[in-house]
Amino acid sequence: ESLDSRPQLRDLLKMKNGFAPHRLLPFVSVSLCASLQMGSLRPPYTMSSCRCACVMAVEPAHLGCTSIVGAPAALANASAWTQLVPVAAKGRASGLVSTALLHSLRRSTWYLHEYGHFVAIQRAVDVAASAHRGQLRKNGDPFITHPIETAIILAELKMDIDTIAAGLLHDTVEDTPLTLTDLQTMFGSSVSAIVQGDSKTTKLEWSRESLAALDPVERRELNHRSMLLAMGADWRVVVVKLADRLHNMRTLQFMPRHKQVAIARETIEIFVPLARRVGIEQFEYELLSLAVDYLFPQELKGLFGLKLLGHWARVQFWGVLDDFLLRDTVLSELDVQAQLSSHRRRWETHRNYWAAACAR
């Protein structure tokens, strides 16, 4: 809301005419931020003035400059934006997504509700919802619920605007007519690069005939290689992929049994070690717990418990990711293993930044 209509908030923040919202310190008031987090005070949903009630700086310094901020398309006026959006992605999310889910996304991304960021998030939701129009998940829900839930998981980690947008758009290139060029035009190179890193290379670069000739193991290794190469270049690719897998694991009960076992095993072999290597403990433990729940019959879970079975599963599949990183010629030559390990420092810097901000 405009500060002109909220004089008490203007006095609280002690803003002057011409104050730039992105210069604001991460947290201005302990009481204001506590209210926002607890839900007793709504974040500003509409920004009718450039001098807006903003709680958070655009990006922490350790994340660097994001491409959305420098992409004129994502922040263009309504008429210019309409001309840029491909026909397959035209439309609004309001009629395609439940109000409760949109409200949940808005509340979870309160720390990004600076004017330009709010517009970029809304446009990413509109593009994703329109592109996935008519697609359903196994449980019968509209497919768009998955990207939005993925973005909410990312927002819980206080990821930057590019990562949130990539979470919303991460399945568009694989499953819709949208291309990486379309995403780059609309949201910038960083978003398109993250989406490309989280997309299966066999779907993007291989014809249907060539794909049919591939052995399932070869296809899986190709996808893992391209994914790990992208993860080595940008740590945010790892976080988006882990959030994507986490939501898929939370809804795995709707898949056939043989797919449940295959996905759960891949989760323990690849994604649990990835979460551990980067240092995102909440992802590591929840992914492991969910995977163990699907891998073992109810009798064993009742006899030994999920914790003990989780330790056994770790030992059983220990080193699968490391072996693949060393065995694959491309990954070993580029030393992707060391690149992934270096991402731990970036995650710790991000986590510590927000821990200090919340403490203030």
Side-chain angles (χ1 to χ4, degrees), residues 58-101:
V58 172
E59 309 296 347
H62 66 272
L63 288 173
C65 182
T66 56
S67 64
I68 280 183
V69 176
L75 306 179
N77 59 49
S79 59
W81 171 255
T82 303
Q83 295 176 0
L84 288 168
V85 177
V87 176
K90 287 185 181 295
R92 298 299 300 271
S94 53
L96 304 171
V97 186
S98 69
T99 305
L101 192 58

Side-chain angles (χ1 to χ4, degrees), residues 74-289:
L75 306 179
N77 59 49
S79 59
W81 171 255
T82 303
Q83 295 176 0
L84 288 168
V85 177
V87 176
K90 287 185 181 295
R92 298 299 300 271
S94 53
L96 304 171
V97 186
S98 69
T99 305
L101 192 58
L102 287 175
H103 181 69
S104 179
L105 176 65
R106 285 187 172 188
R107 294 194 68 81
S108 64
T109 55
W110 61 268
Y111 65 100
L112 291 175
H113 280 198
E114 192 266 342
Y115 179 74
H117 286 190
F118 172 76
V119 171
I121 291 172
Q122 185 59 54
R123 287 176 172 174
V125 173
D126 290 340
V127 168
S130 301
H132 288 294
R133 185 188 289 110
Q135 297 178 2
L136 300 176
R137 304 202 82 209
K138 292 291 185 182
N139 62 355
D141 289 341
F143 188 86
I144 186 59
T145 58
H146 167 64
I148 293 180
E149 291 287 359
T150 300
I152 291 172
I153 293 172
L154 293 168
E156 290 171 357
L157 300 181
K158 301 296 182 289
M159 297 304 294
D160 66 328
I161 180 63
D162 279 4
T163 311
I164 301 297
L168 290 165
L169 300 162
H170 75 272
D171 278 325
T172 53
V173 177
E174 279 189 26
D175 301 330
T176 76
L178 288 182
T179 65
L180 289 170
T181 304
D182 293 332
L183 296 187
Q184 183 170 353
T185 301
M186 291 185 288
F187 297 101
S189 57
S190 180
V191 173
S192 65
I194 297 172
V195 172
Q196 182 179 16
D198 286 310
S199 301
K200 294 177 181 176
T201 188
T202 51
K203 285 192 175 183
L204 300 184
E205 302 173 5
W206 289 69
S207 65
R208 187 171 297 180
E209 294 77 14
S210 302
L211 222 91
L214 275 178
D215 181 83
V217 176
E218 292 178 331
R219 187 186 313 174
R220 181 174 174 236
E221 288 191 352
L222 275 173
N223 287 326
H224 284 166
R225 176 193 293 166
S226 63
M227 177 187 73
L228 291 167
L229 283 171
M231 288 178 175
D234 190 340
W235 74 285
R236 296 173 298 180
V237 176
V238 187
V239 184
V240 174
K241 193 65 179 178
L242 289 173
D244 173 30
R245 177 53 62 109
L246 180 57
H247 183 252
N248 281 331
M249 290 298 297
R250 287 175 178 176
T251 56
L252 197 59
Q253 68 268 28
F254 301 103
M255 298 293 286
R257 178 59 185 161
H258 69 282
K259 287 195 173 182
Q260 288 179 349
V261 173
I263 293 172
R265 177 166 180 160
E266 183 188 41
T267 298
I268 290 183
E269 289 179 346
I270 303 296
F271 294 99
V272 171
L274 269 176
R276 182 178 182 83
R277 188 180 291 269
V278 177
I280 310 179
E281 294 179 352
Q282 56 266 52
F283 281 3
E284 177 191 356
Y285 295 136
E286 187 173 355
L287 284 171
L288 179 63
S289 175

